[in-house]
């Protein structure tokens, strides 16, 4: 079984995100970057399947600029066999990413595709579902447990009311949730080995995909600071403040 894992470069989750001075986007200069945590869970799950003898090859794919090679090398150090970089810039919409991943899927023909449930920068939670729609494959989103049985995958997924268990026929798209596993740390020997593993670089033009944006970002700004709460003595005073100050009633 070949597994394809999508890996996205995002601002490290420990970093406080700041908008640019002109409000045109998020400040990325001299900011620590990392693999999107949900994508890292997908990498870990693929590596575990290979360790169990279920998977024979793991291919990581990143869509972004040249700097995304850093995250691909991290994935290679965690146990991925080879990487593919679709060099398409860093400001891409989920539909464009899904179209590029579809082209890579058709090129590689994996039996299982992992994407993160969402990325911690855009928080769109769209790419995996769009990829499933474009490829016509079965999808299992928000996976918190995965079992492979022959040509089928049994997935426990988190929903508002609790847990739902579904079964999908492979090939399929699985989007990984936080409770699926706990990613490992890359060891120094594996980091050194990863430097020799191959990374193929291709462009959207090579794949015949149009990634022109359909949305325009007008402004990025920090949310307004939340004001401190106050105590009121009576219900009448509460109603007065809600009506005349908060203006919610």
């Amino acid at each position: 079984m070949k597994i394809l894992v999508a890996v996205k470069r995002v601002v490290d989750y420990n970093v406080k995100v700041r908008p640019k001075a002109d409000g045109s986007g998020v400040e990325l200069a001299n900011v620590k970057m990392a693999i999107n945590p949900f994508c890292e869970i997908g990498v870990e799950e693929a590596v575990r399947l290979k360790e169990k003898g279920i998977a024979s090859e793991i291919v990581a794919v990143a869509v972004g600029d040249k700097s995304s090679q850093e995250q691909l090398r991290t994935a290679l150090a965690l146990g991925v066999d080879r990487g593919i970089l679709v060099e398409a810039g860093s400001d891409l919409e989920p539909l464009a990413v899904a179209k590029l991943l579809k082209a890579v899927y058709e090129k590689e023909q994996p039996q299982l595709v992992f994407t993160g449930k969402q990325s911690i920068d855009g928080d769109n939670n769209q790419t995996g579902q769009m990829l499933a729609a474009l490829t016509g494959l079965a999808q299992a989103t928000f996976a918190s447990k995965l079992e492979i049985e022959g040509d089928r995958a049994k997935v426990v997924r988190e929903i508002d009311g609790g847990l739902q268990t579904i079964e999908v026929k492979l090939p399929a798209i699985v989007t990984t949730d936080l409770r699926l596993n706990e990613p490992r740390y890359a060891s120094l020997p594996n980091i050194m080995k990863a430097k020799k593993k191959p990374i193929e670089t291709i462009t959207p033009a090579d794949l015949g995909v149009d990634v022109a944006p359909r949305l325009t970002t007008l402004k990025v700004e920090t949310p307004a600071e939340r004001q401190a709460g106050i105590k009121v003595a009576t219900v009448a005073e509460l109603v007065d403040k809600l009506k005349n100050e908060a203006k919610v009633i």
Side-chain angles (χ1 to χ4, degrees), residues 49-81:
L49 289 174
K50 187 176 181 182
E51 290 173 343
K52 293 177 182 178
I54 297 174
S56 56
E57 184 183 22
I58 307 171
V59 182
V61 55
V63 178
D65 53 27
K66 288 183 179 179
S67 55
S68 294
Q69 288 191 32
E70 179 185 351
Q71 280 61 51
L72 281 176
R73 289 293 176 195
T74 301
L76 294 173
L78 293 171
V80 171
D81 297 300

mmCIF file of all heavy atoms in Angstrom, residues 49-81:
data_model
loop_
_atom_site.group_PDB
_atom_site.id
_atom_site.type_symbol
_atom_site.label_atom_id
_atom_site.label_comp_id
_atom_site.label_asym_id
_atom_site.label_seq_id
_atom_site.Cartn_x
_atom_site.Cartn_y
_atom_site.Cartn_z
ATOM 1 N N LEU A 49 1.478 2.812 10.200
ATOM 2 C CA LEU A 49 0.955 1.789 9.291
ATOM 3 C C LEU A 49 2.099 1.073 8.571
ATOM 4 O O LEU A 49 2.021 -0.137 8.318
ATOM 5 C CB LEU A 49 -0.002 2.415 8.287
ATOM 6 C CG LEU A 49 -1.347 2.884 8.843
ATOM 7 C CD1 LEU A 49 -2.148 3.611 7.766
ATOM 8 C CD2 LEU A 49 -2.155 1.700 9.383
ATOM 9 N N LYS A 50 3.157 1.817 8.272
ATOM 10 C CA LYS A 50 4.311 1.177 7.631
ATOM 11 C C LYS A 50 5.034 0.256 8.613
ATOM 12 O O LYS A 50 5.476 -0.843 8.244
ATOM 13 C CB LYS A 50 5.275 2.231 7.092
ATOM 14 C CG LYS A 50 6.414 1.628 6.266
ATOM 15 C CD LYS A 50 7.304 2.683 5.647
ATOM 16 C CE LYS A 50 8.405 2.013 4.822
ATOM 17 N NZ LYS A 50 9.332 3.003 4.229
ATOM 18 N N GLU A 51 5.136 0.689 9.864
ATOM 19 C CA GLU A 51 5.785 -0.144 10.876
ATOM 20 C C GLU A 51 5.013 -1.434 11.127
ATOM 21 O O GLU A 51 5.593 -2.452 11.496
ATOM 22 C CB GLU A 51 5.929 0.650 12.173
ATOM 23 C CG GLU A 51 6.959 1.782 12.080
ATOM 24 C CD GLU A 51 6.980 2.672 13.311
ATOM 25 O OE1 GLU A 51 6.012 2.639 14.089
ATOM 26 O OE2 GLU A 51 7.973 3.401 13.486
ATOM 27 N N LYS A 52 3.697 -1.392 10.913
ATOM 28 C CA LYS A 52 2.867 -2.589 11.070
ATOM 29 C C LYS A 52 2.919 -3.495 9.845
ATOM 30 O O LYS A 52 2.343 -4.592 9.851
ATOM 31 C CB LYS A 52 1.413 -2.193 11.332
ATOM 32 C CG LYS A 52 1.185 -1.507 12.663
ATOM 33 C CD LYS A 52 -0.269 -1.073 12.804
ATOM 34 C CE LYS A 52 -0.519 -0.329 14.103
ATOM 35 N NZ LYS A 52 -1.938 0.140 14.201
ATOM 36 N N GLY A 53 3.592 -3.039 8.783
ATOM 37 C CA GLY A 53 3.666 -3.836 7.569
ATOM 38 C C GLY A 53 2.484 -3.644 6.640
ATOM 39 O O GLY A 53 2.375 -4.346 5.627
ATOM 40 N N ILE A 54 1.598 -2.689 6.963
ATOM 41 C CA ILE A 54 0.424 -2.443 6.117
ATOM 42 C C ILE A 54 0.793 -1.567 4.934
ATOM 43 O O ILE A 54 0.348 -1.804 3.811
ATOM 44 C CB ILE A 54 -0.703 -1.792 6.948
ATOM 45 C CG1 ILE A 54 -1.163 -2.764 8.048
ATOM 46 C CG2 ILE A 54 -1.877 -1.386 6.064
ATOM 47 C CD1 ILE A 54 -2.163 -2.167 9.011
ATOM 48 N N ALA A 55 1.613 -0.545 5.171
ATOM 49 C CA ALA A 55 2.048 0.359 4.108
ATOM 50 C C ALA A 55 3.446 -0.018 3.641
ATOM 51 O O ALA A 55 4.287 -0.447 4.436
ATOM 52 C CB ALA A 55 2.033 1.803 4.600
ATOM 53 N N SER A 56 3.681 0.148 2.348
ATOM 54 C CA SER A 56 4.995 -0.164 1.791
ATOM 55 C C SER A 56 5.784 1.095 1.439
ATOM 56 O O SER A 56 7.020 1.075 1.420
ATOM 57 C CB SER A 56 4.841 -1.023 0.528
ATOM 58 O OG SER A 56 4.015 -0.361 -0.422
ATOM 59 N N GLU A 57 5.087 2.182 1.154
ATOM 60 C CA GLU A 57 5.758 3.440 0.801
ATOM 61 C C GLU A 57 4.911 4.617 1.266
ATOM 62 O O GLU A 57 3.683 4.594 1.170
ATOM 63 C CB GLU A 57 5.981 3.540 -0.713
ATOM 64 C CG GLU A 57 6.750 4.789 -1.117
ATOM 65 C CD GLU A 57 6.923 4.933 -2.624
ATOM 66 O OE1 GLU A 57 6.127 4.334 -3.377
ATOM 67 O OE2 GLU A 57 7.856 5.642 -3.035
ATOM 68 N N ILE A 58 5.594 5.652 1.780
ATOM 69 C CA ILE A 58 4.928 6.872 2.214
ATOM 70 C C ILE A 58 5.515 8.040 1.429
ATOM 71 O O ILE A 58 6.733 8.232 1.398
ATOM 72 C CB ILE A 58 5.116 7.132 3.721
ATOM 73 C CG1 ILE A 58 4.693 5.917 4.536
ATOM 74 C CG2 ILE A 58 4.326 8.361 4.149
ATOM 75 C CD1 ILE A 58 5.051 6.026 6.007
ATOM 76 N N VAL A 59 4.643 8.810 0.805
ATOM 77 C CA VAL A 59 5.058 9.979 0.038
ATOM 78 C C VAL A 59 4.419 11.220 0.670
ATOM 79 O O VAL A 59 3.199 11.267 0.845
ATOM 80 C CB VAL A 59 4.633 9.875 -1.443
ATOM 81 C CG1 VAL A 59 5.128 11.088 -2.218
ATOM 82 C CG2 VAL A 59 5.146 8.583 -2.063
ATOM 83 N N ALA A 60 5.243 12.185 1.023
ATOM 84 C CA ALA A 60 4.725 13.438 1.568
ATOM 85 C C ALA A 60 4.694 14.479 0.467
ATOM 86 O O ALA A 60 5.634 14.582 -0.330
ATOM 87 C CB ALA A 60 5.593 13.928 2.729
ATOM 88 N N VAL A 61 3.615 15.261 0.411
ATOM 89 C CA VAL A 61 3.501 16.318 -0.591
ATOM 90 C C VAL A 61 3.207 17.639 0.099
ATOM 91 O O VAL A 61 2.353 17.705 0.993
ATOM 92 C CB VAL A 61 2.410 15.989 -1.643
ATOM 93 C CG1 VAL A 61 1.071 15.715 -0.971
ATOM 94 C CG2 VAL A 61 2.270 17.117 -2.656
ATOM 95 N N ALA A 62 3.950 18.671 -0.268
ATOM 96 C CA ALA A 62 3.734 20.017 0.265
ATOM 97 C C ALA A 62 3.440 20.954 -0.889
ATOM 98 O O ALA A 62 4.042 20.849 -1.965
ATOM 99 C CB ALA A 62 4.967 20.492 1.036
ATOM 100 N N VAL A 63 2.503 21.845 -0.675
ATOM 101 C CA VAL A 63 2.165 22.860 -1.668
ATOM 102 C C VAL A 63 2.532 24.208 -1.079
ATOM 103 O O VAL A 63 1.989 24.617 -0.051
ATOM 104 C CB VAL A 63 0.662 22.823 -2.022
ATOM 105 C CG1 VAL A 63 0.326 23.905 -3.021
ATOM 106 C CG2 VAL A 63 0.272 21.448 -2.571
ATOM 107 N N GLY A 64 3.469 24.908 -1.712
ATOM 108 C CA GLY A 64 3.920 26.178 -1.173
ATOM 109 C C GLY A 64 5.170 26.655 -1.872
ATOM 110 O O GLY A 64 5.497 26.197 -2.975
ATOM 111 N N ASP A 65 5.896 27.574 -1.230
ATOM 112 C CA ASP A 65 7.129 28.068 -1.838
ATOM 113 C C ASP A 65 8.298 27.161 -1.477
ATOM 114 O O ASP A 65 8.123 26.122 -0.827
ATOM 115 C CB ASP A 65 7.393 29.524 -1.415
ATOM 116 C CG ASP A 65 7.360 29.701 0.100
ATOM 117 O OD1 ASP A 65 7.652 28.725 0.819
ATOM 118 O OD2 ASP A 65 7.044 30.815 0.565
ATOM 119 N N LYS A 66 9.500 27.570 -1.886
ATOM 120 C CA LYS A 66 10.684 26.720 -1.694
ATOM 121 C C LYS A 66 10.943 26.399 -0.229
ATOM 122 O O LYS A 66 11.473 25.333 0.096
ATOM 123 C CB LYS A 66 11.918 27.406 -2.295
ATOM 124 C CG LYS A 66 11.938 27.418 -3.813
ATOM 125 C CD LYS A 66 13.231 28.040 -4.325
ATOM 126 C CE LYS A 66 13.266 28.033 -5.853
ATOM 127 N NZ LYS A 66 14.515 28.654 -6.384
ATOM 128 N N SER A 67 10.571 27.317 0.657
ATOM 129 C CA SER A 67 10.835 27.118 2.085
ATOM 130 C C SER A 67 10.070 25.922 2.648
ATOM 131 O O SER A 67 10.420 25.409 3.716
ATOM 132 C CB SER A 67 10.496 28.385 2.878
ATOM 133 O OG SER A 67 9.158 28.786 2.638
ATOM 134 N N SER A 68 9.051 25.437 1.952
ATOM 135 C CA SER A 68 8.295 24.272 2.417
ATOM 136 C C SER A 68 9.133 23.001 2.392
ATOM 137 O O SER A 68 8.740 21.980 2.978
ATOM 138 C CB SER A 68 7.041 24.075 1.560
ATOM 139 O OG SER A 68 6.135 25.137 1.744
ATOM 140 N N GLN A 69 10.296 23.061 1.722
ATOM 141 C CA GLN A 69 11.205 21.913 1.751
ATOM 142 C C GLN A 69 11.622 21.580 3.173
ATOM 143 O O GLN A 69 11.879 20.415 3.496
ATOM 144 C CB GLN A 69 12.449 22.196 0.897
ATOM 145 C CG GLN A 69 12.189 22.190 -0.594
ATOM 146 C CD GLN A 69 13.477 22.200 -1.401
ATOM 147 O OE1 GLN A 69 14.496 21.649 -0.982
ATOM 148 N NE2 GLN A 69 13.441 22.824 -2.564
ATOM 149 N N GLU A 70 11.698 22.598 4.020
ATOM 150 C CA GLU A 70 12.082 22.375 5.416
ATOM 151 C C GLU A 70 11.104 21.429 6.109
ATOM 152 O O GLU A 70 11.497 20.508 6.827
ATOM 153 C CB GLU A 70 12.128 23.716 6.148
ATOM 154 C CG GLU A 70 12.493 23.603 7.627
ATOM 155 C CD GLU A 70 12.406 24.929 8.348
ATOM 156 O OE1 GLU A 70 12.236 25.971 7.675
ATOM 157 O OE2 GLU A 70 12.494 24.934 9.590
ATOM 158 N N GLN A 71 9.803 21.642 5.873
ATOM 159 C CA GLN A 71 8.793 20.781 6.491
ATOM 160 C C GLN A 71 8.785 19.394 5.850
ATOM 161 O O GLN A 71 8.539 18.398 6.523
ATOM 162 C CB GLN A 71 7.408 21.438 6.380
ATOM 163 C CG GLN A 71 7.162 22.524 7.424
ATOM 164 C CD GLN A 71 8.143 23.685 7.326
ATOM 165 O OE1 GLN A 71 8.331 24.249 6.243
ATOM 166 N NE2 GLN A 71 8.767 24.043 8.441
ATOM 167 N N LEU A 72 9.081 19.337 4.557
ATOM 168 C CA LEU A 72 9.193 18.024 3.912
ATOM 169 C C LEU A 72 10.363 17.237 4.491
ATOM 170 O O LEU A 72 10.252 16.028 4.720
ATOM 171 C CB LEU A 72 9.370 18.184 2.393
ATOM 172 C CG LEU A 72 8.109 18.485 1.589
ATOM 173 C CD1 LEU A 72 8.464 18.706 0.117
ATOM 174 C CD2 LEU A 72 7.105 17.339 1.712
ATOM 175 N N ARG A 73 11.477 17.912 4.758
ATOM 176 C CA ARG A 73 12.633 17.233 5.358
ATOM 177 C C ARG A 73 12.286 16.720 6.757
ATOM 178 O O ARG A 73 12.719 15.638 7.168
ATOM 179 C CB ARG A 73 13.832 18.182 5.436
ATOM 180 C CG ARG A 73 14.466 18.508 4.097
ATOM 181 C CD ARG A 73 15.133 17.317 3.450
ATOM 182 N NE ARG A 73 15.660 17.641 2.127
ATOM 183 C CZ ARG A 73 16.036 16.737 1.239
ATOM 184 N NH1 ARG A 73 15.943 15.440 1.511
ATOM 185 N NH2 ARG A 73 16.495 17.110 0.067
ATOM 186 N N THR A 74 11.495 17.491 7.481
ATOM 187 C CA THR A 74 11.052 17.043 8.805
ATOM 188 C C THR A 74 10.214 15.782 8.671
ATOM 189 O O THR A 74 10.382 14.819 9.434
ATOM 190 C CB THR A 74 10.231 18.137 9.506
ATOM 191 O OG1 THR A 74 11.033 19.314 9.651
ATOM 192 C CG2 THR A 74 9.765 17.672 10.881
ATOM 193 N N ALA A 75 9.309 15.754 7.694
ATOM 194 C CA ALA A 75 8.484 14.567 7.465
ATOM 195 C C ALA A 75 9.342 13.366 7.064
ATOM 196 O O ALA A 75 9.114 12.238 7.520
ATOM 197 C CB ALA A 75 7.442 14.853 6.387
ATOM 198 N N LEU A 76 10.368 13.618 6.254
ATOM 199 C CA LEU A 76 11.278 12.541 5.854
ATOM 200 C C LEU A 76 12.036 12.001 7.066
ATOM 201 O O LEU A 76 12.284 10.796 7.176
ATOM 202 C CB LEU A 76 12.266 13.046 4.801
ATOM 203 C CG LEU A 76 11.665 13.440 3.439
ATOM 204 C CD1 LEU A 76 12.719 14.093 2.556
ATOM 205 C CD2 LEU A 76 11.062 12.229 2.739
ATOM 206 N N ALA A 77 12.394 12.893 7.989
ATOM 207 C CA ALA A 77 13.098 12.469 9.200
ATOM 208 C C ALA A 77 12.198 11.659 10.123
ATOM 209 O O ALA A 77 12.681 10.862 10.937
ATOM 210 C CB ALA A 77 13.651 13.685 9.937
ATOM 211 N N LEU A 78 10.882 11.854 10.010
ATOM 212 C CA LEU A 78 9.934 11.111 10.846
ATOM 213 C C LEU A 78 9.613 9.737 10.286
ATOM 214 O O LEU A 78 8.952 8.940 10.954
ATOM 215 C CB LEU A 78 8.636 11.924 10.997
ATOM 216 C CG LEU A 78 8.763 13.223 11.802
ATOM 217 C CD1 LEU A 78 7.485 14.038 11.694
ATOM 218 C CD2 LEU A 78 9.079 12.915 13.263
ATOM 219 N N GLY A 79 10.063 9.460 9.061
ATOM 220 C CA GLY A 79 9.853 8.126 8.503
ATOM 221 C C GLY A 79 9.265 8.078 7.112
ATOM 222 O O GLY A 79 9.058 6.993 6.555
ATOM 223 N N VAL A 80 8.969 9.237 6.517
ATOM 224 C CA VAL A 80 8.455 9.284 5.144
ATOM 225 C C VAL A 80 9.580 8.903 4.179
ATOM 226 O O VAL A 80 10.747 9.216 4.413
ATOM 227 C CB VAL A 80 7.902 10.689 4.836
ATOM 228 C CG1 VAL A 80 7.564 10.851 3.369
ATOM 229 C CG2 VAL A 80 6.676 10.965 5.697
ATOM 230 N N ASP A 81 9.227 8.235 3.085
ATOM 231 C CA ASP A 81 10.235 7.729 2.150
ATOM 232 C C ASP A 81 10.720 8.769 1.148
ATOM 233 O O ASP A 81 11.907 8.846 0.838
ATOM 234 C CB ASP A 81 9.672 6.524 1.388
ATOM 235 C CG ASP A 81 9.351 5.369 2.316
ATOM 236 O OD1 ASP A 81 10.283 4.882 2.987
ATOM 237 O OD2 ASP A 81 8.178 4.963 2.398
#
